[in-house]
Amino acid sequence: MIANVAGNDDFMPQVKPDCGELLTFRAWAASGWVRPMFYFSIITVFVLCILGMIVMGYNDDGVYVFFGIVAILCVCVGSILYHRIFFEMIMGCLQIPRLIIAVEKLESAMRQDLETKSSMGVQVIDDGENSFPTQM
């Protein structure tokens, strides 16, 4: 039997790299306004990058134009990642009320389960005092 040790990737799941997921949101449960705002902000950044490339192209220095275009392309690609992270954070904040409701439902279900089980055995009642003796 082969052990799963460092450097042995036989037991690692093989996940196909998919850069398309960054923009398609196949598994993204976004609220109604979050997805259009994401696309609007991405389009705005792309338009600003294109305008920056046009303005950069009017310069007479070729090295300045080359490095300016490379920098603008890096900003354009990097902004996709940062926008996705930012909008994921927004979605996380929007999920908080749903999580609170789910935790309350879970708590009430666990209390009901505890009450049904406690009627069959010994019931422990907490009187609010410390069970450890204190020295005075």
Side-chain angles (χ1 to χ4, degrees):
M1 179 184 291
I2 300 173
N4 191 10
V5 294
N8 183 6
D9 293 334
D10 293 338
F11 298 104
M12 297 299 293
Q14 299 297 322
V15 179
K16 185 180 95 176
D18 185 15
C19 295
E21 177 61 30
L22 195 60
L23 291 174
T24 57
F25 300 106
R26 289 187 294 261
W28 200 41
S31 293
W33 63 271
V34 177
R35 190 176 303 206
M37 280 303 296
F38 172 79
Y39 288 126
F40 177 72
S41 64
I42 289 293
I43 289 170
T44 304
V45 168
F46 284 160
V47 167
L48 289 176
C49 287
I50 290 170
L51 291 175
M53 286 183 194
I54 292 170
V55 169
M56 191 74 57
Y58 282 119
N59 197 332
D60 292 333
D61 189 10
V63 175
Y64 180 77
V65 171
F66 174 75
F67 286 114
I69 296 296
V70 169
I72 288 173
L73 288 175
C74 290
V75 166
C76 194
V77 171
S79 68
I80 296 172
L81 297 172
Y82 289 121
H83 275 83
R84 179 69 188 249
I85 292 169
F86 179 72
F87 280 94
E88 288 285 345
M89 184 181 65
I90 290 174
M91 284 305 301
C93 292
L94 292 175
Q95 294 294 327
I96 290 173
R98 293 180 185 173
L99 291 174
I100 291 172
I101 293 169
V103 167
E104 288 175 352
K105 287 181 181 178
L106 179 65
E107 180 187 13
S108 65
M110 289 181 70
R111 284 188 187 271
Q112 290 175 354
D113 186 43
L114 181 65
E115 289 173 0
T116 58
K117 287 182 180 179
S118 65
S119 64
M120 296 179 203
V122 178
Q123 185 175 6
V124 178
I125 299 174
D126 186 19
D127 58 359
E129 295 179 12
N130 292 336
S131 59
F132 300 107
T134 57
Q135 297 178 356
M136 291 190 185

